[in-house]
Amino acid sequence: GDSVTQMEGPVTLSEEAFLTINCTYTATGYPSLFWYVQYPGEGLQLLLKATKADDKGSNKGFEATYRKETTSFHLEKGSVQVSDSAVYFCALTPSGGSYIPTFGRGTSLIVHP
Amino acid sequence: SQTIHQWPATLVQPVGSPLSLECTVEGTSNPNLYWYRQAAGRGLQLLFYSVGIGQISSEVPQNLSASRPQDRQFILSSKKLLLSDSGFYLCAWSESGGSPLHFGNGTRLTVT
């Protein structure tokens, strides 16, 4: 079946540091890929998405590129802020009209001033 | 624009009591609806999903049930809560297969 693997956290960074959170996936066909963010005590929010190979999703300074050849969708940000502290989830929805997304286990990011 | 409402935000219930969590979506029609549980440790567990009124698929057999009495209403229920039912329950909707999910703010359930 489909699966999403994220790097284990927590990831701890100082403000203005560069962020990478790795995400790799296993799926047949051409899934759509997503990053969601969850702030403490809240539900998940869509951060960015990419629907085909080589697409780059971006939002709020975060970027991720759909790499079919390496089955990856790594999340990056050039300069993190304390307000970026949250849990980040990588997810996919399979091609072919399936309704069931697959989520990674989440990576906690802690940014210190 | 579309919005999702989920309530209550927090709930403390004794073991053996019933449960009803409600979720409604506004601004769209015939959404796909989902119930997730998030235990400590952050991972998301899909409990139920629905692609239409009266159509419920269960992903994990357990002490919970779900119903969709109206197009944009999704209800999570239990007749008798267990301690292991404690967790953070999230409702979500999507427009179609392959679309991103939009989540509610969640219900923190503590079973004592």
Side-chain angles (χ1 to χ4, degrees):
Chain A
D2 297 342
S3 67
V4 174
T5 302
Q6 291 181 235
M7 59 190 294
E8 290 289 329
V11 173
T12 304
L13 296 172
S14 298
E15 204 165 25
E16 300 184 359
F18 185 87
L19 168 70
T20 299
I21 299 178
N22 291 336
C23 171
T24 58
Y25 68 90
T26 301
T28 56
Y30 297 89
S32 295
L33 302 176
F34 307 89
W35 276 102
Y36 293 85
V37 59
Q38 183 180 31
Y39 299 103
E42 299 183 6
L44 281 71
Q45 304 173 25
L46 177 66
L47 181 59
L48 53 83
K49 66 178 182 179
T51 57
K52 61 182 186 294
D54 299 324
D55 266 2
K56 177 185 285 188
S58 62
N59 186 26
K60 300 180 181 179
F62 291 90
E63 293 184 339
T65 301
Y66 189 143
R67 301 290 188 196
K68 180 71 175 174
E69 63 276 14
T70 55
T71 62
S72 65
F73 193 54
H74 304 322
L75 182 68
E76 297 182 336
K77 186 175 185 182
S79 176
V80 293
Q81 305 299 312
V82 172
S83 58
D84 294 326
S85 299
V87 179
Y88 293 82
F89 290 89
C90 184
L92 67 83
T93 53
S95 55
S98 171
Y99 305 102
I100 305 176
T102 298
F103 283 84
R105 290 183 56 81
T107 301
S108 176
L109 170 65
I110 302 170
V111 180
H112 294 293
Chain B
S1 63
Q2 302 94 350
T3 56
I4 179 169
H5 302 282
Q6 187 180 346
W7 67 92
T10 59
L11 191 59
V12 180
Q13 292 284 99
V15 168
S17 63
L19 173 73
S20 180
L21 302 181
E22 189 162 342
C23 172
T24 59
V25 180
E26 296 178 355
T28 188
S29 59
N30 197 32
N32 300 326
L33 297 171
Y34 306 82
W35 277 112
Y36 285 88
R37 179 168 59 200
Q38 187 176 30
R42 308 187 310 271
L44 291 171
Q45 180 185 32
L46 179 62
L47 301 176
F48 302 94
Y49 70 95
S50 171
V51 300
I53 295 175
Q55 301 179 57
I56 309 294
S57 297
S58 173
E59 289 297 298
V60 183
Q62 53 195 321
N63 187 40
L64 302 171
S65 63
S67 62
R68 185 171 177 172
Q70 300 181 42
D71 181 42
R72 292 169 290 173
Q73 184 183 27
F74 206 25
I75 297 172
L76 183 69
S77 303
S78 174
K79 292 183 179 178
K80 289 185 178 181
L81 285 168
L82 307 172
L83 285 174
S84 58
D85 291 325
S86 293
F88 191 49
Y89 288 82
L90 291 161
C91 181
W93 72 273
S94 70
E95 288 185 342
S96 61
S99 299
L101 267 60
H102 305 275
F103 287 83
N105 285 328
T107 296
R108 174 75 59 191
L109 172 65
T110 303
V111 182
T112 60

